[in-house]
Amino acid sequence: MEANLIFEKNPGELIRDTAISESGDFITAITSDTVYVYDSSGNLITEKKSGNLKSLDISLDGEKILLASFGLTLIDQNADILWNDKSKYMALSAGLSGDQKYAYAGMDDEKIYSYSIESDKTLSAETDEDMMSLEISGDGNYIAGGTKEGNILLFDSGLNRKWKYKATFKPVTGISVTNNGNMIAACSSDNTVYLLSRAGRLLWSKNVDSPKDIAISSAGEKITVAVNPGLLFLDNKGEIKGHIELNKPATSIAADKNSEIIAVSAENKLYCYSLTDSDTKSDIDTNNENDKNADDITKTDSKSSESGHTNNTNLKNQSAPAGLFSLFGALFLIMIFRK
């Protein structure tokens, strides 16, 4: 793992959230009352005041930014308003679909909302608790969310709940989903990272130091976690591939499609890194028989929920004993022929 710092910015206030375009060409960040848009070299494109900001998202091409406050507002890179929907409720988390036709928000009225930007049609579904984190799969078919009470939820694009997984009793502070929704990565304030399949099955969990946010690459082979004090890089088996230390705890992260460009905030600073890792590859099969019926699963895998944390060693290669037996057999034959 090699990491090169592209740029560092200091807006002077606490950065609440970051987002990055699919190619990594545009990076956005918000404080409580200002949105910043940078290009990939760190040149400031836009700085715009906008009060009570809580969360944000950016379109895949980087041309549009979704801001979450009391309702949602969609702006372009010049901060001109393209669409908005005001609400008396605070949007705690928000996401923009890849086709830019739908916006989603987890509101503090314990509901998730879907907004059709073109027709102003609104759908909602109960989340039973505040949804603190939210992300849409790249294909637009799934919306994953993490709640204040420690649950991980998966909805389809029509806000039909597919399942609810009880990960912890503490807030799920970050969530990320692969392009086709086959893997959902989440982190919580119980110092744990989780990886689940699209069927709601726990693939593994791992203890890390104070995770605040998480990003998984589009294909699911790389996972990046904002921790104290910096970034932690894992593969999809839960094995640590590297880390970056910062002077302050990382609080939010965003990654491009391949997790090669990473934007991370640490209190009042924004960092952008370029990463290279030639060894990481995907070898977790989430299309097995248990996951083929993902659309029919509507509740948590109770066995995984009761066990709490899965030991990562069950994902390691188990072929070593067979190799030893083969070696002993060969030695035995050599001894016979010598006689």
Side-chain angles (χ1 to χ4, degrees), residues 70-84:
F70 286 100
L72 299 178
T73 300
L74 187 67
I75 63 174
D76 61 18
Q77 286 189 353
N78 296 318
D80 294 328
I81 296 176
L82 305 174
W83 169 88
N84 66 4

Side-chain angles (χ1 to χ4, degrees), residues 16-28:
R16 290 189 169 182
D17 200 7
T18 58
I20 192 169
S21 63
E22 185 178 47
S23 64
D25 290 338
F26 301 101
I27 297 97
T28 59

Side-chain angles (χ1 to χ4, degrees), residues 152 165 167-168 172-176 184-196 202-216 222-227 232-240 253 308-310 312:
I152 300 170
Y165 181 85
T168 176
V172 177
T173 55
I175 200 155
S176 188
I184 298 97
C187 62
S188 71
S189 54
D190 69 343
N191 296 328
T192 308
V193 171
Y194 303 87
L195 187 68
L196 290 88
L202 180 66
L203 300 174
W204 52 260
S205 62
K206 188 177 188 67
N207 291 333
V208 301
D209 188 12
S210 303
K212 297 296 183 182
D213 201 2
I214 195 166
I216 189 169
K222 301 176 184 178
I223 298 170
T224 309
V225 190
V227 296
L232 190 65
F233 305 103
L234 301 93
D235 62 18
N236 60 14
K237 295 182 295 183
E239 296 179 358
I240 296 175
I253 59 171
H309 302 304
T310 299
N312 296 330

Side-chain angles (χ1 to χ4, degrees), residues 124-144:
S124 66
E126 298 286 343
T127 56
D128 303 324
E129 55 206 88
D130 290 340
M131 185 177 287
M132 310 300 294
S133 51
L134 178 155
E135 187 167 286
I136 308 164
S137 62
D139 61 14
N141 292 328
Y142 300 96
I143 302 95

Side-chain angles (χ1 to χ4, degrees), residues 3 14 29 56 66 84 100 112 145 162 166 174 208 229 238 240 255 266 279 291-292 297 323 338-339:
L14 178 69
L56 87 159
L66 184 67
N84 66 4
Q100 304 177 27
I112 180 175
K162 311 308 293 182
K166 185 64 177 178
V208 301
I240 296 175
D279 296 327
D291 293 344
K292 286 181 180 178
I297 295 179
R338 284 183 174 179
K339 291 182 179 181

